[in-house]
Each structure stands twice: as structure tokens, then as C-alpha cells.
Amino acid sequence: MVGELDYEKGLKRNGCVLCWDNKLIPFEKSYIQDLLKDLYQFCKPHYGYAFQRDFKKGPGYYPWGIEAGNITDKEGEKIARWSNTGLAGPDDSDYQPHMIRDIYPLNFLSPQHLGAKIGLQTLQQWIQDNPTRGTLEELLPNFWCWSVDIENIDSVQNDLKPHNLLIAHMPY
């Protein structure tokens, strides 16, 4: 999970990145949600995501937009977009606060994200209109978990690309 940035003052809201070995702690939705609820009282994040990534591809570097290991050109482009857009200064970026990095199995969102427009609907309505788009669960007041089945991530990404909500899929 990553905090929002204020480029003149550093981190505007606290954030953290957690990595662990799946052989020690499995990637389980309920475990991650419980962990996030506990950490929320300290970090107060407004956005986050949970993902799995091979160790050789640098899971600890990935959230910061740094490529590591043997990755495809397509994956490198997505990481570069995040690095160039999501981490660029406010004057050099198309970033908007309602944007999210990409679609992950677990996406942690604020009301600002859920209110983003997808056509004539909000993102929240769009998600809730079709079960293949995942499920929303309010974990804490104003902090939601959007769960997307791995087999549906590509289709959700493709549906959202034209709406310029996903930083990793924005045109250069």
C-alpha cells in the first residue's frame, strides 16, 4: 500500500509497503484485510493494493515504479507509466487524485476513488452492476476493499482503459 504524495512537503499521508514470502504467509484475502484494518489506525491510507509478484522481479521495488528482474516489454511499459505519471511532480503529470495504479486482486479505495466517473456511472455503481467486475466491501468507514478475481483482471482493465482511471494504462 502506498501513501499519497505532497511534493512540497513529502508524504501527505502515511503509507507503507509490505512484502512477505508466500511460503511463510499465504496470500489470503481475509488475512490481508485483517492486517490492513490493524495497520489503518497507524497509516490512515487512502489508497492501496495487494498483489503477488515473483521474488526475482523485485516485489519490494515494484510499488515505487522501479523495474527489476526479467520482465516483458509490456510490463516494463506499465511500470514506467506509473513511475512517470504517478510519481511525477504535480506540474509534470496527468495524475488526478481519483486515479488508481492498476487493477489488482485486492484494491483499497476511498470514496474519492469510488466516485470517479465511468461514463455516466460512478466507479462504485459500475463495479456493483456486474459481478465479474468484483465485489466491494467497506472495511472501515470510508475505506473500501475492491476484490477482483484474477481471471477477471484483464477484462476489468480493458473496460476501464478508455476512462483514464488506470495510471498503468494511460497513453504516453
Side-chain angles (χ1 to χ4, degrees):
M1 115 180 92
V2 232
E4 293 182 40
L5 294 174
D6 179 326
Y7 294 94
E8 293 177 6
K9 299 176 185 170
L11 276 175
K12 183 176 182 179
R13 293 177 181 91
N14 292 335
C16 65
V17 175
L18 303 173
C19 296
W20 61 81
D21 188 327
N22 281 343
K23 293 176 184 169
L24 301 175
I25 303 172
F27 189 91
E28 293 178 5
K29 177 182 172 180
S30 62
Y31 176 80
I32 293 168
Q33 287 178 326
D34 288 345
L35 179 62
L36 188 60
K37 286 179 194 177
D38 291 341
L39 289 172
Y40 188 89
Q41 65 183 316
F42 302 105
C43 299
K44 305 266 189 283
H46 288 239
Y47 172 65
Y49 48 88
F51 64 97
Q52 290 181 286
R53 188 167 180 82
D54 290 337
F55 183 76
K56 63 185 175 187
K57 292 184 178 182
Y61 297 118
Y62 174 79
W64 307 110
I66 299 170
E67 297 177 31
N70 187 15
I71 60 173
T72 65
D73 288 345
K74 181 180 178 182
E75 188 174 14
E77 288 175 16
K78 287 170 57 174
I79 292 170
R81 282 189 188 99
W82 167 251
S83 183
N84 293 333
T85 304
L87 300 177
D91 296 333
D92 301 326
S93 175
D94 293 325
Y95 172 78
Q96 298 294 317
H98 67 275
M99 297 172 98
I100 58 179
R101 178 176 180 161
D102 206 346
I103 304 300
Y104 297 92
L106 299 176
N107 307 273
F108 301 102
L109 308 175
S110 70
Q112 189 171 22
H113 297 107
L114 294 175
K117 288 295 186 178
I118 307 300
L120 299 175
Q121 297 180 302
T122 64
L123 177 61
Q124 182 172 357
Q125 293 164 331
W126 184 85
I127 293 167
Q128 292 172 332
D129 276 356
N130 187 330
T132 64
R133 296 177 182 153
T135 58
L136 282 173
E137 178 183 351
E138 191 170 20
L139 296 180
L140 296 164
N142 296 315
F143 196 65
W144 295 75
C145 179
W146 174 21
S147 303
V148 181
D149 290 336
I150 291 172
E151 62 269 8
N152 294 330
I153 288 177
D154 287 343
S155 111
V156 170
Q157 286 171 334
N158 288 331
D159 289 347
L160 290 176
K161 282 179 191 178
H163 301 283
N164 289 328
L165 177 69
L166 306 177
I167 296 169
H169 299 276
M170 290 182 60
Y172 280 115

